[in-house]
Amino acid sequence: MCKSLNKISYPRCHSSNLYRFGKDKAGNQKYQCKDCRRQFTLEDYRGKKNRVLRGYPRCPVCGSGTYLHHDYEYYSHYTCNSKKCGHSIYVAKPINIPSASCELIKGKTDFKRMRFPLFLILTALNLYYLNGSSTRRISQFFKLTYNVKVSHVTIASWCKKFAPIFLSIANRLTENLDLSASDEWHADETVVFINGKKHYLWLIIDSETRMVLGFNLSPSRDASQAFSLFKSASKFGCPSAIVTDRLGSYNLATKTIFNSSKHIKVQSFKDDISNNLLEAFNDTFKDWYKRKRGFKSFESANTLIAMFIFHYNFLRPHYSLNNLTPAQVAGILIDEKNINNWLLSA
Ligand SMILES: [Zn+2]
Ligand SMILES: [Zn+2]
């Protein structure tokens, strides 16, 4: 019995590592592949040997066709038909991958009937995100400097309320931005607390412009979070290399979403001098975050972090970039007058 089973191989993956798996309705013997868990009968493949499977990728190594080895929720795994080659190809299914939290900022995108001048709002954002001032201190500063009364509650609301508008501006500004020419994008996670509960802030940063390309806030460190993070950054192209720590969650996400990038795994970013860009971000972020002593809700944390990153990318001058912003280094010109025009047309 075992011998006869050994002669059969599954036409899709050529494995002969099979179980008998009962019979189908027509009484044909069913098998299950131990390697890819697919079930089949030999009837399924009669006369289909030379069937052309449309939409399957060609092998980038040897040019042969491929077969679908296994279909997963977030990606399909194809394998080269040439047994000698056997190359694996991973193709992402972006529709199935959940959006990263940075893509889920909701709220008004309308700046009309703003009671305060724009410069005051931008000054508040600079004091809040650059200087780490509290909203009460900013309120005092406005009274002393401009003799304008703005309550700390109003200032706190600015830091969140305008997030959807700033993010839609950021999206418009980076619409045609392609950072594929970059050597490396670095991904990492940092811990934040929301209501006392541990969360991970997943980040991906371009090494050349220092632009934060996406973030994903999540209570979990599982692989689906890395898929979400990478999907959010994939609109900026595909860099030469993706650099991550050794967390296994990055492996398949890199193979599928950045399938032409090299995946460089480092032991720890602290050991690698060239990886100081994540350190730089983390220092800046932690400096701001520690004054907040944690966040109160997921939504508020997500919105404040989105604004922090907008500020980091578009408004904050970086010493390491000769006091330019990452956006300026990426060739995006932005100044207050520009923002004003965008806001008026928002
Ligand atoms: Zn198989
Ligand atoms: Zn091949």
Side-chain angles (χ1 to χ4, degrees), residues 60 87-92 178-185 230 234 236-242 251-264:
H87 185 70
S88 283
I89 299 120
Y90 299 86
V91 178
D178 188 338
L179 297 171
S180 298
S182 283
D183 286 343
E184 292 167 2
W185 294 357
F230 285 3
S234 63
F236 298 113
C238 201
S240 302
I242 296 285
N251 294 347
L252 278 163
T254 306
K255 267 189 217 167
T256 55
I257 296 176
F258 299 117
N259 53 18
S260 62
S261 307
K262 196 173 148 197
H263 187 186
I264 300 170

Side-chain angles (χ1 to χ4, degrees), residues 59 61-64 80 82 85-87:
C59 174
V61 177
C62 73
S64 301
C80 178
S82 155
C85 170
H87 185 70

Side-chain angles (χ1 to χ4, degrees), residues 241-312:
I242 296 285
V243 183
T244 70
D245 58 29
R246 291 181 182 274
L247 184 70
S249 306
Y250 290 115
N251 294 347
L252 278 163
T254 306
K255 267 189 217 167
T256 55
I257 296 176
F258 299 117
N259 53 18
S260 62
S261 307
K262 196 173 148 197
H263 187 186
I264 300 170
K265 290 170 233 181
V266 294
Q267 194 67 50
S268 157
F269 281 116
K270 287 184 188 72
D271 301 337
D272 187 340
I273 299 154
S274 71
N275 277 324
N276 59 9
L277 81 146
L278 269 163
E279 288 288 289
F281 177 87
N282 281 342
D283 286 352
T284 311
F285 179 77
K286 289 257 157 77
D287 188 50
W288 170 71
Y289 168 76
K290 73 176 181 221
R291 291 168 219 252
K292 305 199 53 56
R293 292 182 211 96
F295 297 106
K296 286 181 186 70
S297 74
F298 183 90
E299 213 195 333
S300 140
N302 198 41
T303 308
L304 288 170
I305 291 168
M307 280 295 271
F308 177 90
I309 289 172
F310 175 83
H311 189 268
Y312 190 89

Side-chain angles (χ1 to χ4, degrees), residues 101 189-192 194 197-202 215-222 224-226 228 298 302 305:
S101 74
E189 327 84 53
T190 185
V191 170
V192 297
I194 302 173
K197 196 171 171 267
K198 195 173 182 179
H199 281 66
Y200 297 93
L201 175 60
W202 300 69
F215 75 88
N216 187 28
L217 184 62
S218 155
S220 141
R221 264 182 127 187
D222 65 31
S224 74
Q225 307 303 328
S228 298
F298 183 90
N302 198 41
I305 291 168

